[in-house]
Amino acid sequence: MSAAELNVVLAGAMIVLLAATAAVRLSARAGLPTLLVYLAIGLVIGEAGLGLEFEDAQLTQNLGLIALAVILAEGGLTTRWSVIRPVVGVSALLATLGVAISVAVTAFVAHAALNFDWRTSILLAAAVGSTDAAAVFSVLRRLPLAGRLGATLEAESGFNDPPVVILVTLVVSDAWTQANPVTALGQVGYQLAVGVLVGLVVGRVAQWVLSRSALPAAGLYPIATLAMALFAYAGAGMINASGLLAAYVTGLWLGNAPLPHRRATLGFAEGTAWLAQIGLFVLLGLLVSPGRLAAALVPALVVGGALLLLARPLTVLVCTTGFRVPWREQVFMSWAGLRGAVPIVVATIPLSAGLPAASTVFDVVFVLVVVFTLIQGPTLPFLARRLGIAAAGQALDLTVESAPLEEAGAELLQVGVPEGSRLVGVYVDELRLPAGAAVSLVVRTGRAFVPTGHTVVRAGDQLLVVTTESARRQTERRLRAVARAGRLARWFGEHGDDPPPAATSAPTSAADPAGNSPATSAADSPAISAADSRPPSTSGRLVRRIRPRTRTDIS
């Protein structure tokens, strides 16, 4: 390829990327997962549109799984352990037993109603058996849900992709004819258990390394963090374990650990995940042959209807009843089982293996995802309001990050104070920070000044707090306590570490994956590890951790 041809290709790729970026606003207004717009872009530039032919299913599968690993790693990084900890049990059950129930019911309908053979029926049912992390994250994070409902659905979407990939791989392989059910179940259990173990080990090692590294540039920390998650994916795959689960668990651990430059890391991970989604969906759109889709419409409606109206409600009923999930939330969970990239990527596995019915499976899955995303996505806000489970104006957490001043043996904390925070109206003296910590600077409406003990904290202030390394944790806890309960936090028994009584009914004794003390729900209280791209909280806002090269270079 000549330089001129390369420039043409690069220009075309950037046009696609810019169009996909602009399409996010359109999909957000319509309440649709962005995958539909990206798939449409792929179809437009494909063989039926601009004539670009692409038929490499193996390449699509390989790149698709890597893209899913990036998306799941970003999902783990932006997921608060304090929020999903109370729902891990029900989410794990939905991701394992729930997937099995869904596959069984859907496969039976496909076999009975469409006369597919059992292998094709199980492949089809397994491909659509999991909810999609990218679709769930993109829709539900714009929809405030009461209680633990949103956390349950997000955790389920992060956990249930690996079992489906494993199941489809087993059905496509020689294990379909050679392995007995016990052996197959043992393989699934091994891949899931070892995948979790690899993710935990890599996450713990990555936390230790990153927290003790003094890299010369802040931009290197996000790269190293994402590289650790992808290393977990590759490492788990090398020992035949679930790489997707390992990447998610590593991201979950690192997202809840006190690491340097958290905001920069999360921003980088979010941008990389968007890029992975765009590339993945456009690639899947290119792989589709539009001329075959009409024939797949009826099977897609039959399978999708069975999935939405039979398999998913039964799955939710069986898996959530023991956890006393209210019926209104069960109804919403049944309707909110969004499908997206994962089913289509999984459907490329039989294509790559050259199975006779692979094209049928891929076309049916593609049409099913498009049609039922159009049906479910836009109706979720309406359904949430009708069921009375939409929460109006939830408050997010106060979050604090530090900038290590290594040569001085001190750390710099920066705390944002938005509207509604209980820090507002508190005198600096009333913060009662521990010995070794002090508010050194206040930035208010663009003007910086050194506060006195009688300075009143106002909404919109940025507080710069210098603390010794030994007092850092206690300082953070005190700031969180005041943000939760005001100047009389200690009188109300608030010490900045335990969840407030209204936050959740879940036990508060478990530690998070990074070994931190229990945090709280996103609705009420602070969490040291709660960095994400959501709107600023009413308690405070996380800021970047900076590793200055010298004592005086702290920007």
Side-chain angles (χ1 to χ4, degrees):
M1 180 181 293
S2 66
E5 292 172 332
L6 180 60
N7 288 334
V8 172
V9 172
L10 182 61
M14 293 306 102
I15 290 173
V16 171
L17 185 59
L18 291 172
T21 303
V24 175
R25 184 175 181 83
L26 174 64
S27 65
R29 286 182 173 180
L32 295 174
T34 52
L35 69 93
L36 294 181
V37 181
Y38 299 157
L39 288 174
I41 292 174
L43 288 171
V44 167
I45 64 178
E47 60 183 46
L50 300 180
L52 180 60
E53 295 187 5
F54 179 78
E55 299 180 353
D56 195 335
Q58 184 64 58
L59 178 62
T60 303
Q61 175 191 331
N62 294 338
L63 294 179
L65 291 175
I66 294 173
L68 289 178
V70 172
I71 293 169
L72 285 173
E74 188 268 343
L77 284 168
T78 55
T79 297
R80 302 176 182 182
W81 174 250
S82 60
V83 174
I84 72 166
R85 183 183 61 210
V87 301
V88 165
V90 64
S91 298
L93 198 61
L94 284 166
T96 50
L97 177 61
V99 167
I101 295 173
S102 178
V103 171
V105 173
T106 309
F108 176 79
V109 172
H111 178 71
L114 300 173
N115 202 30
F116 288 156
D117 63 84
W118 278 112
R119 190 177 194 180
T120 302
S121 299
I122 293 175
L123 275 177
L124 187 56
V128 298
S130 73
T131 57
D132 182 71
V136 170
F137 291 162
S138 65
V139 172
L140 294 187
R141 288 186 177 180
R142 297 196 301 262
L143 179 63
L145 297 174
R148 299 174 294 178
L149 179 57
T152 302
L153 291 169
E154 287 194 19
E156 179 199 5
S157 69
F159 293 149
N160 66 9
D161 293 345
V164 165
V165 174
I166 295 169
L167 178 58
V168 171
T169 303
L170 288 175
V171 175
V172 168
S173 69
D174 294 336
W176 172 256
T177 56
Q178 298 176 3
N180 58 57
V182 175
T183 303
L185 187 61
Q187 292 181 17
V188 173
Y190 165 81
Q191 293 196 42
L192 294 178
V194 177
V196 171
L197 181 61
V198 170
L200 292 174
V201 171
V202 174
R204 182 66 185 92
V205 172
Q207 176 192 350
W208 187 88
V209 171
L210 292 173
S211 62
R212 288 164 175 78
S213 300
L215 299 177
L220 295 176
Y221 286 92
I223 296 174
T225 301
L226 193 58
M228 291 291 189
L230 292 180
F231 175 78
Y233 168 80
M238 291 171 63
I239 55 176
N240 296 319
S242 174
L244 294 177
L245 191 55
Y248 180 76
V249 171
T250 298
L252 183 62
W253 185 297
L254 293 177
N256 289 273
L259 297 179
H261 303 286
R262 182 184 302 276
R263 173 177 280 182
T265 297
L266 295 177
F268 177 80
E270 183 183 18
T272 306
W274 275 110
L275 185 61
Q277 288 186 54
I278 292 171
L280 171 59
F281 296 136
V282 171
L283 197 62
L284 293 172
L286 281 172
L287 189 63
V288 173
S289 296
R292 302 199 310 258
L293 296 183
L297 180 59
V298 173
L301 291 177
V302 172
V303 173
L307 179 66
L308 181 62
L309 302 178
L310 293 177
R312 178 67 180 177
L314 180 60
T315 294
V316 172
L317 179 65
V318 171
C319 296
T320 63
T321 300
F323 293 89
R324 298 182 179 180
V325 176
W327 71 266
R328 295 176 184 272
E329 295 187 6
Q330 290 186 10
V331 171
F332 186 84
M333 291 172 67
S334 299
W335 192 257
L338 299 175
R339 269 66 189 177
V342 174
I344 305 176
V345 171
V346 169
T348 63
I349 297 177
L351 271 180
S352 304
L355 293 186
S359 296
T360 300
V361 171
F362 182 83
D363 294 342
V364 170
V365 170
F366 187 91
V367 174
L368 185 154
V369 167
V370 172
V371 171
F372 284 87
T373 300
L374 283 170
I375 293 173
Q376 293 172 261
T379 58
L380 284 176
F382 169 78
L383 183 62
R385 291 193 298 269
R386 292 291 297 176
L387 292 173
I389 58 175
Q394 286 191 5
L396 300 181
D397 298 348
L398 169 71
T399 47
V400 181
E401 272 203 35
S402 62
L405 307 176
E406 286 130 343
E407 296 180 24
E411 306 220 6
L412 178 65
L413 309 181
Q414 183 179 346
V415 182
V417 185
E419 295 286 347
S421 171
R422 295 198 177 185
L423 285 168
V424 175
V426 174
Y427 288 96
V428 169
D429 271 352
E430 292 175 325
L431 291 176
R432 302 187 186 280
L433 298 179
V439 180
S440 60
L441 195 70
V442 175
V443 180
R444 178 176 296 164
T445 61
R447 186 176 64 90
F449 61 93
V450 177
T452 67
H454 299 289
T455 299
V456 178
V457 177
R458 297 181 182 175
D461 283 356
Q462 294 287 330
L463 310 180
L464 299 185
V465 181
V466 177
T467 173
T468 61
E469 292 178 349
S470 59
R472 170 194 158 190
R473 175 68 71 179
Q474 190 177 356
T475 302
E476 290 178 352
R477 291 173 59 190
R478 175 57 184 168
L479 288 169
R480 290 196 176 96
V482 178
R484 292 176 183 174
R487 55 174 62 85
L488 299 179
R490 289 196 182 101
W491 284 87
F492 294 113
E494 177 58 68
H495 301 289
D497 48 359
D498 297 324
T504 176
S505 59
T508 61
S509 60
D512 69 20
N516 299 323
S517 59
T520 59
S521 80
D524 302 290
S525 54
I528 185 173
S529 55
D532 59 24
S533 58
R534 306 175 192 181
S537 71
T538 61
S539 302
R541 179 167 57 90
L542 182 64
V543 296
R544 291 181 295 177
R545 166 183 291 217
I546 311 166
R547 260 188 204 279
R549 301 181 66 173
T550 69
R551 248 177 303 201
T552 57
D553 178 18
I554 58 172
S555 60

